[in-house]
């Protein structure tokens, strides 16, 4: 078909008679050819343009493919190096991809985790490998199904049969498939469990601690309200401190563990045993229908714990005192019940130990007396009710006075002079001892400063004060204030301080020595007689305890001990002093054993400071005139 414009030109070149005007035709044809040429040129140009566009597009596609491949490689590297296991399933429960960690965690060979593997096959492999939760295969598949259709992300913690714990995050996909990540949290769980256990148990014995005891007691009390009574037994080992001190803390710890094991064998599964610290234990005895149930347990405990323990090939004997409070009559809340069991224990110990006592309301009165004593003692410090008495120390060879020991007395407004034996232990328990000792130091230094300057003054310092760390400044302050030469002050400490053997104690002793003060070991032989501490610190003086002096004439071993101590002191360059000398016979024996100094009623009882000049004129007239 002709192009309409060519057809029109052909028509124009044809005359009415049908003749063709060739020129016109030629013109028309040439126009047509030019047109064709133009069209060809345009087509060619278009084709060229399209070719270059295609090339550019191909280049673009190539670049995209390369980028995709690189991204894929990165993705795979990330997948393979994840610390979590990961797997991706499609809607038909077929594996799309999983990583190496997933295979490792579930102990499946990577060969068995090819893309396309069905979930059921993987479940079978996990079953065979034991890396499966404690449920049946069907239960597991049903759970997976539920999670998959729920369309809600799901976090779960799964305990495997082999003891491991996994945290699984399950993310459903729109096509019914899912991605899940798997974290092995076994170690974390164990640590959490350990921490939770530590927070509620005693590290030494593995028994419950105070926190768990309280929790269990609250539960038991709730049951007690529903007619299921319980009892609390408070136990304290008698003389444990002595064993701990003489055999050392590691042996003491082993003993406490052995005690815990023995106690466990005596209680029921439902009962709770707790260690409250030191040698204190508590038991919650459940379902106590009558007091006899608690009595029977207490009696068994006393009997069993009194049997010797084998420790480092030694037979060690401990005894136990027990206080019992029964719920609900002795208390309906944990604190009251524990407090009342403690009061009953206090009573059991006061009555001679190795026995049990039930709580009685009257016992509260005993505790009240302690409270009064504490209040009175606090008042005594500020009211100036303390006085010092002085007992002369006599040089055995010359029978002259070398100094005085300061001994505190409490001038009580209604009770008169109270002996330190009555209030010092209590002051140590309550922490009031620091103030008391500081007062003694200041007073003794001030009063001694008025004596002839050859005379020394000995001051007893409590271990409790010593351990508090403020001893050195207290001593140097008292010396400075009184203007007393440090060489005239002797500090007496007891063995129990040395048993602690802490670096802090030794350092305080060395600093006191550096001040010029001398240090004596008081009551030697009554403690746990470990000679080890004599090596750790060179004392100036050893005071042989009065119990050996008292028995000097009736027990051969006493003289042997005195002889051993004087011999030891002579070879170590220390002075020996015997305290509590009451008879000439004792004095003669001590003289024969070459004891350096003596002190006792034979010469004088402790006397007020105002009697010092009179005492001096009695023993040492020359000194008395100096005073
Ligand atoms: P200690 O330091 O061993 O003092 C010796 C005790 O034996 C004194 O008892 C003394 O009066 C007594 N005594 C002295 N000679 C004889 C004697 O021949 N026969 C008998 N049976 N006893 C004698 P006191 O004064 O009752 O002191 C008892 C303990 O209280 C002292 O034992 C000491 O450990 C402590 N104490 C005394 N004063 C103080 C003080 O100011 N501070 C501290 N922290 N403790 C003190
Ligand atoms: Mg003393
Ligand atoms: Mg003594």
């Amino acid at each position: 078909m002709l192009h309409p414009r060519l057809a029109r030109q052909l028509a124009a070149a044809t005359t009415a008679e049908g003749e063709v005007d060739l020129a016109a035709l030629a013109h028309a044809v040439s126009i047509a050819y030019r047109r064709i040429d133009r069209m060809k040129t345009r087509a060619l140009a278009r084709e060229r343009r399209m070719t270059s566009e295609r090339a550019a597009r191909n280049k673009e596609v190539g670049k995209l493919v390369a980028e995709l491949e690189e991204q894929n490689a990165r993705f795979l590297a990330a997948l393979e190096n994840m610390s979590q296991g990961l797997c991706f399933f499609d809607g038909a429960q077929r594996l799309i991809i999983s990583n190496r960690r997933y295979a490792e965690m579930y102990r499946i060979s990577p060969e068995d985790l090819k893309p396309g593997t069905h979930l059921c096959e993987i479940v079978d492999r996990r079953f065979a490998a034991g890396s499966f939760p404690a449920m049946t295969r069907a239960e597991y598949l049903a759970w997976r199904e539920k999670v998959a259709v729920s369309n809600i992300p799901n976090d779960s913690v799964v305990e495997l049969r082999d003891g491991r714990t996994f945290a699984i995050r399950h993310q459903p996909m729109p096509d019914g498939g899912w991605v899940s990540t798997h974290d092995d949290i076994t170690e974390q769980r164990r640590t959490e469990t350990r921490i939770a256990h530590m927070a509620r148990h005693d590290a030494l014995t593995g028994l419950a601690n105070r926190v768990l005891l309280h929790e269990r007691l609250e539960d038991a009390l709730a049951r007690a309200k529903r007619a299921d009574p319980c009892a609390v037994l408070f136990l304290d080992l008698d003389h444990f401190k002595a064993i701990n001190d003489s055999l050392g803390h590691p042996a003491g710890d082993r003993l406490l563990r052995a005690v815990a094991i023995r106690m466990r064998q005596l209680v029921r599964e439902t009962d709770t045993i707790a260690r409250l610290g030191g040698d204190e234990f508590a038991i919650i005895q459940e379902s106590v229908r009558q007091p006899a149930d608690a009595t029977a347990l207490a009696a068994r405990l006393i009997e069993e714990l009194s049997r010797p323990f084998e420790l480092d090939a030694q037979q060690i004997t401990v005894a136990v005192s027990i206080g019992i409070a029964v719920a609900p009559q002795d208390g309906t809340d944990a604190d009251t019940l524990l407090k009342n069991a403690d009061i009953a224990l206090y009573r059991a110990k006061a009555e001679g130990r190795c026995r049990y006592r039930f709580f009685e309301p009257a016992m509260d009165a005993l505790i009240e007396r302690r409270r009064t004593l504490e209040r009175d003692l606090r008042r005594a410090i500020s009211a100036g009710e303390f006085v010092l008495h002085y007992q002369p120390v006599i040089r055995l060879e010359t029978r002259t006075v070398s100094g005085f020991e300061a001994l505190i007395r409490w001038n009580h407004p209604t009770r008169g002079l109270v002996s330190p034996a009555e209030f010092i232990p209590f002051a140590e328990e309550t922490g009031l001892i620091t103030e008391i000792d500081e007062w003694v130091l200041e007073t003794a230094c001030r009063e001694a400063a008025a004596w002839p300057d050859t005379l020394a003054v000995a001051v007893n310092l409590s271990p409790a004060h010593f351990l508090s760390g403020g001893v050195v400044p207290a001593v140097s302050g008292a010396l400075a204030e009184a203007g007393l030469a440090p060489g005239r002050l002797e500090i007496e400490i007891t063995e129990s301080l040395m048993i602690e053997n802490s670096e802090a104690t030794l350092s305080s002793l060395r600093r006191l020595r550096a001040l010029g003060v001398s240090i004596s070991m008081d009551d030697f032989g009554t403690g746990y007689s470990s000679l080890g501490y004599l090596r750790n610190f060179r004392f100036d003086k050893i005071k042989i305890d009065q119990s050996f002096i008292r028995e000097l004439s009736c027990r051969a071993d006493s003289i042997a001990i005195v002889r051993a101590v004087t011999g030891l002191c002579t070879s170590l360059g220390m002075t020996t002093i015997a305290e509590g000398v009451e008879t000439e016979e004792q004095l003669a024996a001590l003289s024969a054993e070459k004891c350096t100094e003596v002190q006792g009623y034979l010469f004088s009882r402790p006397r007020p400071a105002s009697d010092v000049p009179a005492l001096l004129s009695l023993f040492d007239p020359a000194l008395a005139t100096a005073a």
Side-chain angles (χ1 to χ4, degrees), residues 405-407 459-460 492 522-523 543 579 599:
E405 178 176 6
L407 294 155
V459 169
N460 296 279
E492 294 192 5
D522 202 355
D523 303 342
K543 293 188 87 164
E579 58 182 7
Q599 192 182 337

Side-chain angles (χ1 to χ4, degrees), residues 370-611:
R370 279 173 68 85
R371 288 209 191 97
T372 313
L373 180 61
E374 185 174 346
R375 204 181 44 234
D376 282 3
L377 211 48
R378 281 185 201 280
R379 195 211 48 237
I381 299 172
S382 50
E385 289 173 7
F386 292 121
V387 282
L388 288 185
H389 281 194
Y390 294 93
Q391 186 177 37
V393 175
I394 312 290
R395 276 187 216 94
L396 196 48
E397 211 174 7
T398 57
R399 304 283 173 106
T400 50
V401 179
S402 64
F404 290 86
E405 178 176 6
L407 294 155
I408 194 170
R409 305 294 175 250
W410 180 5
N411 206 349
H412 194 280
T414 53
R415 295 170 62 196
L417 275 192
V418 183
S419 138
E422 263 190 69
F423 64 87
I424 292 285
F426 186 72
E428 287 177 337
E429 251 176 65
T430 50
L432 291 168
I433 192 67
T434 307
E435 263 181 273
I436 295 178
D437 272 359
E438 281 172 5
W439 177 86
V440 172
L441 266 173
E442 281 163 25
T443 313
C445 288
R446 194 181 58 246
E447 291 181 337
W451 306 339
D453 56 17
T454 52
L455 292 179
V457 63
V459 169
N460 296 279
L461 287 187
S462 146
H465 179 198
F466 224 91
L467 295 171
S468 74
V471 135
V472 182
V475 168
S476 56
L479 285 169
E481 204 179 309
L484 189 76
R488 293 180 59 197
L489 178 64
E490 290 175 15
I491 298 295
E492 294 192 5
I493 61 161
T494 51
E495 281 179 272
S496 58
L497 178 70
M498 293 311 289
I499 278 148
E500 300 285 337
N501 195 23
S502 74
E503 208 23 67
T505 301
L506 290 175
S507 145
S508 298
L509 287 174
R510 289 191 198 109
R511 277 154 61 212
L512 286 179
R513 164 75 52 71
L515 288 178
V517 169
S518 47
I519 317 280
S520 312
M521 163 67 63
D522 202 355
D523 303 342
F524 187 74
T526 51
Y528 317 107
S529 303
S530 152
L531 296 180
Y533 50 69
L534 292 185
R535 261 207 319 235
N536 294 338
F537 186 77
R538 185 60 57 87
F539 288 88
D540 297 285
K541 199 183 266 187
I542 298 288
K543 293 188 87 164
I544 306 171
D545 189 67
Q546 47 185 282
S547 55
F548 300 108
I549 313 304
R550 203 174 302 130
E551 291 167 348
L552 221 44
S553 52
C554 54
R555 282 185 61 163
D557 53 0
S558 289
I559 194 81
I561 288 168
V562 170
R563 188 169 299 154
V565 177
T566 48
L568 185 78
C569 289
T570 310
S571 53
L572 291 176
M574 296 183 284
T575 307
T576 35
I577 171 164
E579 58 182 7
V581 182
E582 293 183 355
T583 65
E584 287 293 348
E585 200 185 351
Q586 291 163 350
L587 187 66
L590 291 164
S591 183
E593 295 310 325
K594 306 250 175 318
C595 195
T596 332
E597 289 175 328
V598 284
Q599 192 182 337
Y601 294 170
L602 179 63
F603 301 96
S604 168
R605 286 182 178 260
R607 307 291 311 152
S610 53
D611 287 0

